[in-house]
Amino acid sequence: MDLELRQLRCLVAIVDEGTFTDAAHALGVSQAAVSRTVASLEQALGVRLLRRTSRSVTPTSTGLRVVAHARRVLAEVDDLVLDATSGHAHLRVGYAWSALGRHTLPFQRRWSRAHPETDLHLIRVNSATSGLGEGACDLAVVRRPLDDRRFESAIVGLERRLCAMASDDPLARRRSVRLADLAGRTLLVDRRTGTTTADLWPPDSRPVTEDIHDVDDWLTVIATGRSVGMTAESTANQYPRPGVVYRPVRDGEPIAVRLAWWKDDPHPATQAVLELLTALYREP
């Protein structure tokens, strides 16, 4: 069965306008064309969609359901066209656990001032590519290298590595911790998007790890004192939580923050975002 968008638009126009004549005027076609189009739709579906009298046209019960579906389909098509043709008009930046930490708000504000023609949207997608591979965003902030050759990336800055723990944890009394302090603890890790693995420790003194997949769940478990976590500094800025404190890991290597994009189809604003983020991370 082949349905055409013009058939759905015609049906919706008839229902909205109330008559074939008014629908034809709204669509810029003849009344005969409207009649033929809706008749072809009814024939394709094998159902009656409209009740016609000399004074009015109303949808049948089946017609009401089809019209509701048609509106959703047409809205999706309009969104598809807008997304494919918007160019500089829209920019979606994806991230997994945390966006840009303390730089998030300055990034949004400076972007809107410098590029008012391009709407910026930050989107949280907890995937290895922060939504880039899924088509949910145009650019992505990631904190570990992407091995996928479809993507290009560049480092925009570095963030300290922090340990998250319950506020009544004995380590919370310290200003900072070392990796060795965590060797006997249970460490919560997100293997899909996280920056922490047991490889940070020597083979004979690695902590026990448990998997977790969401930052809110991560914080909730840590607050109980049962486990600790290790994360980038941006998480502490974006997710302060009662009962959880963050302490720098003195001997933990900094975490590189990368901007990633599609190699063969970069968004027109990629270079501008790259320059702005690099400048923000260079500021004290």
Side-chain angles (χ1 to χ4, degrees):
M1 182 185 297
D2 293 326
L3 298 182
E4 300 180 11
L5 294 178
R6 65 183 182 86
Q7 294 173 319
L8 301 182
R9 293 192 191 279
C10 184
L11 176 64
V12 170
I14 293 170
V15 173
D16 288 347
E17 302 298 330
T19 68
F20 279 61
T21 301
D22 290 339
H25 180 74
L27 294 170
V29 299
S30 67
Q31 183 175 335
V34 169
S35 297
R36 287 194 302 270
T37 301
V38 75
S40 68
L41 178 59
E42 289 180 321
Q43 183 177 5
L45 294 175
V47 294
R48 187 181 180 188
L49 301 174
L50 299 171
R51 295 189 186 93
R52 306 164 179 82
T53 69
S54 58
R55 295 183 177 181
S56 66
V57 179
T58 57
T60 63
S61 58
T62 301
L64 286 173
R65 296 197 301 273
V66 173
V67 167
H69 281 292
R71 292 190 193 281
R72 290 194 292 270
V73 170
L74 293 172
E76 287 288 338
V77 170
D78 289 342
D79 289 343
L80 181 154
V81 172
L82 178 63
D83 182 67
T85 61
S86 59
H88 285 277
H90 298 278
L91 174 62
R92 302 166 302 166
V93 178
Y95 65 94
W97 278 39
S98 56
L100 300 161
R102 65 186 178 90
H103 302 301
T104 302
L105 186 56
F107 170 54
Q108 292 172 300
R109 289 181 172 175
R110 293 189 193 183
W111 182 266
S112 64
R113 289 196 299 266
H115 305 277
E117 75 286 354
T118 304
D119 291 330
L120 173 66
H121 302 277
L122 297 181
I123 303 172
R124 182 178 158 213
V125 182
N126 197 38
S127 74
T129 64
S130 297
L132 192 61
E134 294 78 7
C137 60
D138 307 299
L139 301 172
V141 176
V142 295
R143 289 178 171 81
R144 63 184 192 183
L146 294 179
D147 296 329
D148 196 320
R149 294 184 179 181
R150 296 176 300 168
F151 307 122
E152 197 75 64
S153 67
I155 296 176
V156 296
L158 300 175
E159 293 178 345
R160 293 186 301 168
R161 198 179 294 267
L162 305 182
C163 177
M165 63 194 77
S167 56
D168 59 353
D169 191 293
L171 291 177
R173 293 192 293 267
R174 304 183 185 181
R175 292 185 177 181
S176 62
V177 299
R178 294 184 178 275
L179 290 172
D181 298 326
L182 309 175
R185 309 295 293 271
T186 298
L187 188 71
L188 295 178
V189 298
D190 184 346
R191 299 181 190 278
R192 292 181 301 177
T193 68
T195 56
T196 302
T197 70
D199 293 337
L200 290 171
W201 286 263
D204 58 346
S205 59
R206 289 174 176 171
V208 176
T209 60
E210 288 186 7
D211 289 348
I212 203 154
H213 304 297
D214 183 82
V215 64
D216 288 315
D217 295 340
W218 183 77
L219 289 166
T220 298
V221 175
I222 288 173
T224 67
R226 182 170 61 85
S227 307
V228 296
M230 194 176 298
T231 187
E233 185 177 0
S234 56
T235 305
N237 293 113
Q238 193 153 332
Y239 295 102
R241 176 69 65 91
V244 175
V245 298
Y246 298 88
R247 296 291 182 263
V249 181
R250 292 202 299 274
D251 53 348
E253 291 185 1
I255 295 170
V257 182
R258 293 174 168 84
L259 183 71
W261 59 89
W262 283 91
K263 183 183 298 185
D264 62 350
D265 188 25
H267 189 280
T270 299
Q271 186 60 35
V273 175
L274 194 59
E275 292 174 0
L276 177 53
L277 293 183
T278 302
L280 285 170
Y281 271 93
R282 284 176 178 171
E283 293 180 358

